[in-house]
Amino acid sequence: MTKLYDEILAKSDPQLTLQQHVDDCLLIWGLLQKNFPQISRLSLSYDFWRVLRLAIVCHDLGKGHADFQKLLRNQPNRWRKQRHELFSIPFVEGLQEEKRIRELLRLVIAGHHKDYEQLWKRYICDFYQSEEEVFDIPGADERLDYEAEFRKNVQASLLLQLAEEAYHVKIGPFTIEHPEQVILTYQPQIGKMNASNPDYFDLLLLFGGLKHCDHMGSARIQELLQLSETQFQFLEQKRRDLQARKKDFYDHQLACGNVTGNLILTSPTGSGKTESSILWLHQQMKHFGQGRVFYILPFTASINAMYERLGKEMGSEYVGMLHGKLSDYLYDYFDDFQYSLSQKKEQIDALKDKFKTLVTPVKVVTPFQLLKHLFGLKGFEQGLFEMVGSYFIFDEIHAYSADVFAQIKVLLQYAVKHLQVRVMVMTATMPTFLKKELEEAIGEFTEVKASESLYSQFVRHRVKLQEGLLTENLDLIRNSLKAGTKVLVVCNTVKNAQSVFNELRGDACNAVLLHSAFNGVDRTRHELELKQGEKDGSIRLLVGTQAIEVSLDIDYDIIYTEPAPIDALIQRFGRVNRKREKGQSPVVVFRTSNATDQYIYPNELVSRTIQAFEEIIAETDGIIDEARLQQYIDFVYPDWQPKQKEQFDLIYNSLSVSAERLVPMYRSKLGEENFYKQFDGIKVLPVILKDAFVERLKQFDFIGAESLKVQIRKNKFAQLLRENDLNLQSDSYTIEKKDGTLLEIKYFVLTKKYDTELGLCYDQQEEWVDTSIWI
């Protein structure tokens, strides 16, 4: 039989009843219990799942306001953009719960759409007469009487009936308090809000849980995937394949699969660290149960490759990824399908939305996707909720600068201490002093190291120190190319890489250049050429910058490289004789640095690296013993450099304090500013691509247009402005949207030469005449 409350709507397009929406949210509530069992093991002061269910039942009761219903039905109304959640608050007082629980429910329900600062300034002060009448606000006479508005318009009896009959939640008589009381009651508590306060996570996790249920319920998500034995079957298949060849997993891989709890693994590059991490993860799942998995890598190229690999091995629907260039990746990915532009955009949006939710149990991410929650950015409560009982796998941990490493240490301490997170850290090359910082962060842990016998199997490089500058000894490289050798050349700057590539590409039947000064379109094209070249053996020369250190899965016969610190060089060497099928391959390091290299790598680190290689040459005729690499790394990096340590301590201490004092339902403006200012890049449009850029904008192809831009460092941007006002121009393009409103797209045009094969050439000016207004 139809009930009158069946007519109450929660959504308008398409129309969805309030009961349907609450049912959708409760479906997510049930799925969360299965996926986040460790929330029940936290020291919360109440039955979390029971109280979250109450929050879900009550959170949208305020939508029963008559004018809000008219709004949803597109009928004339006097809603005036009020907030429906403010009309949900009074119902909480009628719940037969202790005062503390009712306070929590009021807080999370009031804030589940707008943070408290917005709610207070824009939706309470502006709309309703204050009970205190101490506010002097323009237009005060037009403000509503909240209690009268509630009594007149909210269909309370129907909503009480819905709660009791549909969800067995009895709401008794209640008083109608002005919504400002929720804010005013919370204000005195803010100063006491910190992670050491036992009530802190009571509120934060309840709020995060409600937001997840509301968001995913609104999206009508029906399933949150879980990892099961099926997703780990590929490990058994790999082991069977190995055993068929009378081999097995390495000892350190098997050891990782037997560790319960935090783990630090040290093993050489190419020794199966990924399999080690999944074996460890499998063991944790068996012991601790379900939890979301974050596979954390420092670079976009590594993340893309790991996403594709894990997707093939564990099932593509179980693996997602998040990083700053995700749209670019998906844009290229969907090029392989016969989609129209509108279909392509729909697919990109759908996959991005999926990756951002809890649907995928494994996410391959940069550390910033987790760190942003410690800075108090919008949605941080949901982010911290997702971390509860999760598993962090840190790969390439050595690759971070001092300031990022400090943030990672704070993240690990916070996650392990407060959120029941288990951590695995993997490295091939990390100074001992940095390892101590990690050990301090994760607390109790097991250490696994590859065996001496394994290290002896990974002797694959013979280092040679070459006098002079690389750019002045190109004939050496030409001789290698003439001999049919597959050659890798790594320079420290884009300019040098471009120059070397220009000089050598005529000496190789097929050559590729890779560096950071390409736009997204050309970078992707070059990477695809390189991948194909690896398959068919057609690429004989690869020239690039340190971006190659962490790029694609490539294998070369010899490397010629400009000098750099030992850890960077070891990563470069890892792209030579990767499969260990060529004996001891030569790795040639030039002794002399370019004058500008000091701004990239400290001279003392490069000098000590050369000393370490001289010792290797003297002792072993240049053969690099992987087992002894740690002592050479510690020689180059005996301890923090004073400036690095100062920077590390400053950021570590600052973030440690602010992370412990995040205030639920308040965004941290200072934290947001501090988080974003560390990203040192501004995207500019090479002028030669301006017509193509505008053409894509005309088609509403915003991602395609953005992929034509090149990212440059902020200091380079400032330098270009100082050098010549004509280097950069501020421009804009205005588009009329479907609803008739105008959208202005602002962008910077760079007049330096851009070449699809060379990238951005800072020392060449593109000929260009434009009458627009200059910066």
Side-chain angles (χ1 to χ4, degrees):
M1 186 175 74
T2 303
K3 304 284 187 179
L4 287 176
Y5 57 68
D6 291 338
E7 302 299 318
I8 300 175
L9 295 181
K11 310 283 181 184
S12 60
D13 187 21
Q15 284 194 351
L16 199 70
T17 69
L18 180 57
Q19 185 174 354
Q20 286 174 315
H21 174 58
V22 173
D23 287 347
D24 289 339
C25 293
L26 287 175
L27 173 64
I28 302 299
W29 170 79
L31 294 172
L32 290 183
Q33 291 181 71
K34 297 175 183 177
N35 284 277
F36 292 87
Q38 295 188 62
I39 282 185
S40 300
R41 299 168 196 163
L42 297 177
S43 300
L44 303 179
S45 66
Y46 60 94
D47 182 341
F48 177 82
W49 297 111
R50 186 184 72 81
V51 175
L52 178 57
R53 184 178 185 276
L54 289 175
I56 292 168
V57 171
C58 295
H59 81 290
D60 271 358
L61 292 179
K63 288 183 174 179
H65 190 293
D67 281 311
F68 188 76
Q69 290 297 301
K70 291 175 184 176
L71 176 73
L72 294 179
R73 289 180 166 83
N74 201 24
Q75 298 171 354
N77 62 82
R78 297 179 64 257
W79 181 241
R80 302 197 332 181
K81 296 184 180 179
Q82 299 179 81
R83 295 305 312 173
H84 68 265
E85 57 268 31
L86 296 180
F87 291 99
S88 301
I89 301 170
F91 293 98
V92 174
E93 277 308 301
L95 292 171
Q96 297 173 359
E97 299 289 332
E98 61 181 71
K99 183 180 178 182
R100 171 64 180 150
I101 299 300
R102 295 200 308 274
E103 287 176 351
L104 285 172
L105 289 169
R106 277 199 306 271
L107 287 169
V108 301
I109 288 171
H112 81 272
H113 280 300
K114 302 292 181 183
D115 71 79
Y116 268 24
E117 186 173 0
Q118 281 191 74
L119 202 61
W120 173 256
K121 290 180 179 178
R122 294 178 57 186
Y123 298 104
I124 295 179
C125 293
D126 283 0
F127 276 99
Y128 308 117
Q129 299 167 13
S130 171
E131 291 182 343
E132 303 297 329
E133 289 302 341
V134 296
F135 305 100
D136 182 18
I137 300 174
D141 293 341
E142 299 177 12
R143 289 183 295 143
L144 302 171
D145 181 317
Y146 172 80
E147 183 176 350
E149 182 77 3
F150 186 96
R151 292 188 184 281
K152 177 183 175 183
N153 292 293
V154 177
Q155 306 169 61
S157 59
L158 286 182
L159 296 162
L160 298 179
Q161 187 182 358
L162 168 64
E164 185 165 4
E165 292 185 5
Y167 306 109
H168 308 291
V169 172
K170 185 171 179 57
I171 300 175
F174 55 83
T175 57
I176 303 169
E177 278 195 341
H178 195 289
E180 71 183 12
Q181 292 303 318
V182 177
I183 310 288
L184 294 174
T185 303
Y186 189 41
Q187 288 290 343
Q189 300 179 42
I190 289 175
K192 304 173 187 174
M193 276 287 163
N194 63 74
S196 300
N197 185 328
D199 296 336
Y200 179 79
F201 286 101
D202 287 357
L203 178 59
L204 187 147
L205 294 177
L206 185 63
F207 183 74
L210 177 59
K211 291 277 282 185
H212 278 303
C213 290
D214 191 31
H215 284 185
M216 289 188 286
S218 295
R220 310 215 76 186
I221 288 170
Q222 300 294 301
E223 183 181 19
L224 302 185
L225 297 173
Q226 287 184 310
L227 294 183
S228 65
E229 287 299 313
T230 303
Q231 282 69 61
F232 295 97
Q233 283 178 355
F234 78 93
L235 292 171
E236 282 303 313
Q237 184 59 51
K238 283 193 174 188
R239 194 170 189 187
R240 285 195 292 270
D241 292 344
L242 285 168
Q243 290 171 339
R245 290 180 281 144
K246 310 228 181 277
K247 295 181 179 181
D248 200 347
F249 283 135
Y250 296 127
D251 289 344
H252 68 271
Q253 293 177 307
L254 295 172
C256 290
N258 289 319
V259 171
T260 300
N262 300 328
L263 168 65
I264 296 178
L265 168 66
T266 305
S267 67
T269 301
S271 63
K273 286 196 283 291
T274 302
E275 287 86 356
S276 299
S277 69
I278 305 303
L279 285 163
W280 171 82
L281 175 63
H282 192 202
Q283 173 70 0
Q284 308 319 299
M285 287 264 176
K286 287 191 286 187
H287 189 82
F288 297 110
Q290 287 293 322
R292 275 10 212 174
V293 181
F294 297 96
Y295 199 111
I296 302 154
L297 286 159
F299 302 104
T300 300
S302 306
I303 291 172
N304 293 343
M306 187 58 67
Y307 164 72
E308 292 171 8
R309 176 180 175 179
L310 292 179
K312 288 177 184 176
E313 293 177 334
M314 304 182 83
S316 58
E317 67 271 33
Y318 291 88
V319 183
M321 68 170 167
L322 293 171
H323 58 66
K325 297 178 182 176
L326 179 57
S327 293
D328 291 345
Y329 172 87
L330 295 176
Y331 189 84
D332 296 321
Y333 173 79
F334 285 116
D335 262 352
D336 294 337
F337 301 89
Q338 299 302 311
Y339 290 131
S340 67
L341 181 59
S342 61
Q343 289 173 324
K344 188 174 178 179
K345 286 193 287 189
E346 286 176 11
Q347 293 290 331
I348 290 171
D349 290 342
L351 209 50
K352 283 176 69 177
D353 288 343
K354 178 185 173 185
F355 291 168
K356 287 177 182 177
T357 68
L358 302 178
V359 171
T360 50
V362 180
K363 288 191 177 86
V364 190
V365 300
T366 67
F368 298 107
Q369 298 297 330
L370 301 175
L371 284 166
K372 65 183 181 183
H373 305 310
L374 296 189
F375 283 83
L377 272 63
K378 183 179 179 181
F380 77 88
E381 302 93 342
Q382 290 161 272
L384 295 180
F385 181 99
E386 186 177 6
M387 289 187 208
V388 174
S390 66
Y391 304 102
F392 287 1
I393 299 170
F394 271 91
D395 199 357
E396 300 181 12
I397 191 75
H398 55 269
Y400 300 103
S401 60
D403 55 338
V404 177
F405 202 88
Q407 294 174 48
I408 289 171
K409 181 178 179 182
V410 176
L411 172 67
L412 291 173
Q413 281 182 320
Y414 188 98
V416 170
K417 178 181 177 182
H418 299 301
L419 303 176
Q420 301 280 322
V421 171
R422 274 84 191 182
V423 180
M424 180 176 182
V425 176
M426 302 183 289
T427 184
T429 56
M430 182 164 57
T432 298
F433 75 90
L434 282 184
K435 185 163 168 279
K436 288 178 180 176
E437 300 285 354
L438 284 177
E439 293 172 3
E440 187 179 300
I442 63 177
E444 188 176 339
F445 72 98
T446 300
E447 183 164 16
V448 173
K449 292 183 178 179
S451 65
E452 291 288 332
S453 60
L454 178 69
Y455 274 109
S456 67
Q457 297 175 40
F458 276 75
V459 175
R460 49 190 163 170
H461 300 133
R462 184 191 295 269
V463 67
K464 179 181 179 182
L465 291 173
Q466 186 70 41
E467 298 297 329
L469 289 166
L470 183 150
T471 50
E472 295 174 351
N473 287 272
L474 298 185
D475 283 343
L476 285 174
I477 303 173
R478 288 191 179 98
N479 291 336
S480 292
L481 289 169
K482 287 176 184 176
T485 307
K486 192 177 175 186
V487 178
L488 172 62
V489 180
V490 183
C491 301
N492 292 335
T493 64
V494 170
K495 184 177 179 180
N496 272 7
Q498 290 170 328
S499 173
V500 169
F501 180 77
N502 250 340
E503 291 286 333
L504 295 176
R505 59 176 160 177
D507 296 287
C509 58
N510 219 336
V512 172
L513 174 65
L514 270 183
H515 54 65
S516 60
F518 284 109
N519 64 21
V521 171
D522 293 324
R523 171 76 188 223
T524 299
R525 179 171 56 82
H526 285 223
E527 287 182 351
L528 289 174
E529 286 176 11
L530 195 56
K531 279 184 180 180
Q532 185 58 41
E534 282 296 300
K535 289 179 182 178
D536 59 24
S538 60
I539 303 293
R540 308 308 299 172
L541 171 65
L542 171 60
V543 180
T545 59
Q546 54 265 37
I548 288 173
E549 296 168 18
V550 292
S551 189
L552 307 166
D553 186 8
I554 52 179
D555 192 1
Y556 282 73
D557 300 330
I558 187 172
I559 183 175
Y560 292 91
T561 175
E562 293 184 328
I566 189 168
D567 53 329
L569 290 177
I570 289 167
Q571 291 301 310
R572 296 178 191 185
F573 297 169
R575 273 52 192 163
V576 173
N577 196 7
R578 191 172 180 83
K579 298 174 183 175
R580 296 177 289 127
E581 297 172 346
K582 305 169 185 175
Q584 283 86 46
S585 293
V587 291
V588 182
V589 181
F590 286 85
R591 286 179 177 272
T592 308
S593 297
N594 301 285
T596 56
D597 286 356
Q598 62 182 315
Y599 302 111
I600 303 171
Y601 301 119
N603 287 332
E604 59 268 32
L605 295 183
V606 176
S607 177
R608 284 202 292 269
T609 297
I610 298 298
Q611 290 180 55
F613 286 152
E614 286 173 338
E615 186 175 326
I616 292 171
I617 291 169
E619 291 182 355
T620 63
D621 197 26
I623 294 175
I624 299 175
D625 181 356
E626 297 264 348
R628 295 184 62 191
L629 269 180
Q630 188 65 53
Q631 75 181 62
Y632 295 118
I633 289 168
D634 287 337
F635 169 74
V636 175
Y637 291 98
D639 204 343
W640 287 104
Q641 294 177 281
K643 286 185 178 179
Q644 275 191 322
K645 180 59 173 171
E646 184 180 341
Q647 183 184 27
F648 177 90
D649 288 343
L650 178 65
I651 292 173
Y652 171 76
N653 292 329
S654 174
L655 185 57
S656 295
V657 171
S658 61
E660 293 282 330
R661 293 180 179 175
L662 293 173
V663 180
M665 296 165 295
Y666 275 95
R667 285 169 62 186
S668 171
K669 291 180 181 178
L670 179 61
E672 190 167 359
E673 181 182 321
N674 288 337
F675 178 74
Y676 283 113
K677 73 182 182 184
Q678 65 186 314
F679 298 108
D680 185 23
I682 296 175
K683 283 193 169 185
V684 297
L685 178 70
V687 65
I688 198 171
L689 300 175
K690 185 176 179 182
D691 290 343
F693 179 79
V694 170
E695 191 58 38
R696 292 191 179 194
L697 290 181
K698 286 178 181 177
Q699 299 175 42
F700 293 87
D701 184 7
F702 301 119
I703 299 173
E706 193 71 10
S707 68
L708 296 176
K709 293 181 181 178
V710 180
Q711 183 161 299
I712 64 177
R713 296 176 70 87
K714 290 176 184 175
N715 59 0
K716 187 67 177 179
F717 184 88
Q719 178 192 338
L720 288 165
L721 283 177
R722 288 195 304 271
E723 284 177 356
N724 182 353
D725 283 345
L726 300 183
N727 285 330
L728 285 162
Q729 181 195 21
S730 177
D731 209 339
S732 66
Y733 183 80
T734 302
I735 299 173
E736 184 176 348
K737 296 192 291 185
K738 292 178 181 178
D739 62 3
T741 59
L742 297 179
L743 174 65
E744 185 181 24
I745 310 292
K746 295 182 179 180
Y747 57 98
F748 290 105
V749 177
L750 179 68
T751 61
K752 295 296 184 180
K753 184 176 178 61
Y754 183 83
D755 184 285
T756 57
E757 296 304 314
L758 295 177
L760 196 58
C761 304
Y762 286 112
D763 54 352
Q764 299 180 52
Q765 198 79 12
E766 194 78 62
E767 291 185 11
W768 183 42
V769 177
D770 196 290
T771 57
S772 302
I773 299 172
W774 300 98
I775 290 178

